Amino acid sequence: MAIDGYDLSQIPPAFDRMILMVIDGLPAEFVLGKGGQPPEKSLMEAMPYTQFLLSERRAIAFHAKAAPPTVTMPRLKAMISGAIGGFLDVAFNFNTQAFLDDNLLDQFYQIGWKLVMFGDDTWIKLFPSLFRRYDGVSSFYVKDTVEVDFNVSRHLEVELVANDWKLMILHYLGLDHAGHIAGRHSLLMTSKLKEMDDTIRLIHTHNALNGDDDGRRTLLVVVSDHGMTERGNHGGSSYEETDSLALFADLWSESLVYAPNMHNEVFQVDVASTLALLFGVPIPKNNVGVLLIEAFNSLTDEHKLRALELNSWQLLRLLQVHLPHLLCRDLREGASSGQILQSNEYFDNIEEKLHHLYSKAKAAHTLWKLSERDSSGRSENSTNSYNAVASYYDFLRFGSEWLSHRATDKPIKLILSGVVLLLLSSVLLFYLLLLQFKDHGTEKKFGSALKNCSCVWHLDETFVSLGTFLHIFSLGASSMVEEEQYTWHFLSSTMCLILFYMTMLSFLKEQQTVSVEMKKEGKLDVHQSQIAHISAARYTTRVILMKPLHTYFQIYSLMIVLICGRILRGWHQGGVNWVHLHDISKWLEQTSSSCMKAFEITSLLLVMMLSLFALSLLKSRTRYVLIASFGIIVLGFLVLLHIIENRPVNRSTSIAQIFYFNFGILVFGTFVLSPWILPLNFQEHTLLMKKSSNSHSSVVKTDGVLMGIQDSLYLVGVIYASSWCLLQLLLQQPVNAIPMLLIFVQTMACIIYFSASGHHRQLVEVAAVYFLGMAGHFYLGNSNTLATIDVAGAFIGISSYSMVFPSILMFIITFSSPILSYLSMLVCISTKDIVSLSLPERPDLSQLLNLMIAFPCLLPLVLNSAVLTAFTLILLVMRNHLFVWSVFSPKYLYVCAGTVSVYIGLYVVAVTVVYTCTVFFFRAKQLKFGNS
């Protein structure tokens, strides 16, 4: 039989049927140990039957290294097609499409096999029409660790005795879900390992595997799609995440011969070519894997070399697609087999090296065939066989690695066109920002303070510019991308120190100015000089006690920001290289649950107290402000119930759902109603209106409108920020409760500093809040690997499977700190003295909006656009870099998702300001008509 040019009849199929058991998220370390050491005793005791198979050499197992991204869908594709996917598969993992590339399942289907599948419904989405019977379960409802596996195992008794299938796929999700919920070393993990071991025992000891009356043999293959981190997450490229399992079991008396070394490291893509040759079907065309020769130990040398030859042919054809001039022949012209085997040339050209390696393998194979005909020397024949296998492996491994790196090649013209569009958008946003610098209204907004500090205030602006360029340049180094938290910690801390320096310098200058003015008084005699000196001292004291009171607020605020930043810096080690080091979060996770709940409740109460205190500062004391305060109390009470009632799950889910409903009512209600309910603040200007001419009345009314806008934006901003923090206390991991509190305190302290300062442009204010938001992203334990994404939190309050709402919650959890900084821009805007803005007698709404939201919206867009454009160029240049998949690609996903968070946050700010100003101007107009 010849299929696609392969004469596979030369290799008899080793098996007739196969059971493919996928244990989602199982690290190979749990079964095989690590670094040559056996697994922990508790892990071995949890899987006694699996350990028995390995110790009795009735199964072979490998550490099958998975390529990033380590999520389910691309890993399944790799195992059945042998091809390496792209990082866009992370997005497709949530919306799986039919798999159309050449793969093993299609090959089996074409030769008449009947397929059945039970478990993860990703298989059904990839192959919607292949399975004769199936029962799919959702892989994203991670709260379920029981039903997802029971729905698989309940079919075993019937299916094992059925004879109408050739391939049965069992995909168990419970162990992966247990990791997401409680981590890698939780009690749930031990019970799930025991359950999986019992399933392997049930399958392996069933008569179906021992052969039926017709002598049909069934192969049991146990694999995992990826591993997991200490906290049970995955998606990145660490050893813990890429360490997947590949185990082949056989019950025949003539079982696979396996060497004692059970810690071989292979690649996950090697599974596809191995299974194809074991069952006599063509290797998938895009396969870059190398067959596992240990799985062919039961075959003769002739069949093993034939399998390697077929794998080499398939890989050679794939290489020739990328290297058209690669024309390998059996032997080089004028060279004998012995000369080729003894050649150790150095090749600069990749085509020449591949040609040499392939020619060497063919020569060794030919030499073995010649020695096989001469049966006199068995030892020499064995040596030739070993050399042939080694030569084939040299070619296959080198070719496989080269093809894996070439997987990043994409249409360069299409990519460049996208880069050009990004550059144009960045230039446009930067141009709009420059126009704001030229707007004299912005200069007038800060009065004479800028003139007095013209030689000082440039320092903070210079650092914003240099810090942005420093961050962009750091993204070109893989190690700096992995440890980006250090960059943002440096930028936020240094920014605070610069502001502290400028505040102290301004304070000292004010004192010197007072002393100089007192010395310039008229000529005085000695007695008068003493009196003047005393008066100057008293006056200086009053100045220190009155005007510099704002300075003390600024100093204390900056101290709070720096202290909170230092605590947050030690909370999570973060990153990739130092995540194993001890930090505060790891220490807290080792404490009792009651201690952790105490920290959560403390954080909750402090957030509520700060929120209520911020609302109490509002000038307009209306009933709605009291209602809003009551809404904050209700949300806090629901979070408290969720913390206390973490079990049972059903009650906790109901509490979370009630929280979501009240959250929406409070936030949306405040946004819609506050501009209509808060007063226009005309009362305090009544006397001025009566005593003034009509020409001044419009200015007074304008002041009233501006004060009403200020109060409304302050109320909405505080509700936004407070409700957002309470939402995070509900969704975030318990260990992140205190970091969320500290980030909230940092943000509010930063806003207090700028509200009491007149020495900085709004550019610096917005940049400082932006820096704190980005630093907070990493303070919460996030990194540039997908493994730190909290999947379990995305299902809080979800009672049934849904894809949209958990995805939104996952996004909210991941970008909680940056979005908090954007929402806090409303509080920044409201704390400015907008009544002192220079406006005409008939104010223009567009001019007011330009002065209020231009910088808060434009600057984050410019900073984010610069990073997005620069990193796109970096990724294009680094597309053949060794760490393109493990470092640069996941970072690019974070940059793109971060761009979405920027636009969402700033859109909320812009819409809120526009709506509030429009309503107040409409009310003022209506009031004017009513009075007339």
Side-chain angles (χ1 to χ4, degrees), residues 95-126:
N95 186 24
T96 306
Q97 304 296 322
F99 189 41
L100 303 178
D101 292 353
D102 189 19
N103 60 84
L104 285 178
L105 267 62
D106 283 334
Q107 297 282 5
F108 290 142
Y109 187 78
Q110 289 174 9
I111 63 174
W113 278 31
K114 305 299 180 183
L115 287 66
V116 295
M117 196 288 303
F118 307 101
D120 189 351
D121 60 0
T122 303
W123 290 95
I124 304 172
K125 297 174 183 177
L126 288 173

Side-chain angles (χ1 to χ4, degrees), residues 333-344:
E333 295 180 3
S336 64
S337 299
Q339 291 175 334
I340 294 176
L341 291 173
Q342 295 175 3
S343 174
N344 291 316

Side-chain angles (χ1 to χ4, degrees), residues 90-243:
V90 173
F92 296 148
N93 188 61
F94 296 95
N95 186 24
T96 306
Q97 304 296 322
F99 189 41
L100 303 178
D101 292 353
D102 189 19
N103 60 84
L104 285 178
L105 267 62
D106 283 334
Q107 297 282 5
F108 290 142
Y109 187 78
Q110 289 174 9
I111 63 174
W113 278 31
K114 305 299 180 183
L115 287 66
V116 295
M117 196 288 303
F118 307 101
D120 189 351
D121 60 0
T122 303
W123 290 95
I124 304 172
K125 297 174 183 177
L126 288 173
F127 308 100
S129 59
L130 291 190
F131 299 110
R132 185 169 187 173
R133 289 186 299 277
Y134 59 85
D135 184 7
V137 295
S138 173
S139 61
F140 296 105
Y141 190 58
V142 298
K143 294 172 64 175
D144 180 14
T145 62
V146 179
E147 294 297 325
V148 285
D149 289 345
F150 174 76
N151 286 339
V152 179
S153 297
R154 65 191 179 95
H155 296 280
L156 283 179
E157 291 293 341
V158 176
E159 294 296 336
L160 287 176
V161 297
N163 57 7
D164 61 342
W165 56 264
K166 285 296 192 74
L167 171 61
M168 180 166 63
I169 298 174
L170 308 171
H171 194 139
Y172 287 90
L173 294 164
L175 187 138
D176 178 70
H177 291 184
H180 283 299
I181 293 174
R184 181 183 177 111
H185 299 292
S186 65
L187 296 177
L188 283 175
M189 193 63 63
T190 303
S191 63
K192 295 309 296 185
L193 288 173
K194 176 63 177 173
E195 182 181 346
M196 293 299 98
D197 188 69
D198 291 340
T199 303
I200 293 174
R201 179 196 299 270
L202 173 64
I203 298 173
H204 204 256
T205 56
H206 198 275
N207 292 332
L209 290 184
N210 295 320
D212 54 17
D213 297 335
D214 298 326
R216 292 183 301 180
R217 304 174 61 190
T218 302
L219 174 66
L220 171 62
V221 181
V222 181
V223 297
S224 60
D225 49 354
H226 51 74
M228 64 176 65
T229 61
E230 291 296 320
R231 294 184 175 177
N233 296 323
H234 55 87
S237 58
S238 66
Y239 173 82
E240 290 77 12
E241 297 163 84
T242 60
D243 183 34

